[in-house]
Amino acid sequence: MSFTIDERGRPNTQDYRVFFQNSEGKYISPFHDIPIYANEAENIFHAVVEVPRWTNAKMEIATKDPLNPLKQDLKKGNLRYVANVFPHKGYIWNYGAIPQTWEDPNHKDSDTGCCGDNDPIDICDIGNKVCTRGEIIKVKVLGTLALIDEGETDWKVIVINTEDPEAGDFNDIDDVRRLKPGYLEATFDWFKRYKVPDGKPENQFAFNGEFKDRDFAIATVKSTHEFWKALISKKTDAGELNCMNTSVSDSPFCCSAGDAEAAVKSVSLCFFHVHVRDLKFPQPSLPK
């Protein structure tokens, strides 16, 4: 199974979008159409890379837009960039999300005591490769950190790309602690302080900031997959989320390939018209 991306607009602008296509060139949603499992029997998951390591632009799956392309987050109408928190440069892993998962904002987690953040579950890929924006990778789950972000449960799942040459050595969170000393401490510190330069307080964590192990993390991922199933089948209120998809045949939100392509074109046309409207043409001078 292979996927490609179709970039529209210019990076670092508000109209920049990264749409996804399947192997047949048909547009799909990275939120709903990319399978959660790359190999279910071995608990190998797909992950969508939103932010490559060492970069700062806060890219994310646009959960409220048709087909959920990647776009840059906005803060007070401006493009959002994550500050460099000394001694780190940008994101210190390939950062992204596992498709077909959803942290339900109406479900209070029994472990954290907080409801979900209304997004797919996040991943931090610790592999050596610096991935590209929109890349789909296959990952092994190693553990998780329970961030409490402004009162919401926001799981950060620690994973490693299965194509990493060292992937065979990593099977649980203790392997990260042993083979990449300091990486978990840096991860905790990054998530604790990355909003401080924006004037916000340090983030809080469940379990006193302890990383939970592989089995706990896999169970957490699978529970968010069940929440997603309820969402995509309309058993749960989607609210502002856009559940348009092309492959979940029993979903009331499933659409044709033609409808998906039309949705992509409508977004591009919308931005084109905005740009034309904003152009200022010089007024011709009249002869005297």
Side-chain angles (χ1 to χ4, degrees), residues 134-149:
E135 187 173 347
I136 309 301
I137 59 176
K138 299 174 183 179
V139 300
K140 293 167 64 174
V141 168
L142 305 175
T144 189
L145 181 67
L147 175 66
I148 306 301
D149 190 351

Side-chain angles (χ1 to χ4, degrees), residues 161-237:
N161 190 334
T162 58
E163 295 184 1
D164 190 282
E166 299 177 345
D169 297 329
F170 290 84
N171 297 292
D172 211 328
I173 199 67
D174 285 338
D175 295 326
V176 184
R177 190 171 286 111
R178 176 171 55 89
L179 297 171
K180 290 183 180 284
Y183 209 167
L184 294 182
E185 290 82 358
T187 295
F188 173 83
D189 184 64
W190 195 95
F191 280 119
K192 181 179 181 180
R193 300 193 293 131
Y194 81 102
K195 289 186 177 182
V196 172
D198 296 328
K200 293 188 177 181
E202 293 181 345
N203 277 321
Q204 303 299 311
F205 302 85
F207 311 111
N208 294 317
E210 172 193 351
F211 285 83
K212 306 302 286 185
D213 65 14
R214 171 185 179 272
D215 290 342
F216 184 100
I218 288 175
T220 301
V221 171
K222 290 184 175 182
S223 70
T224 62
H225 182 50
E226 294 302 314
F227 294 137
W228 172 83
K229 286 181 180 178
L231 173 70
I232 203 68
S233 61
K234 216 172 182 178
K235 293 178 181 176
T236 299
D237 181 17

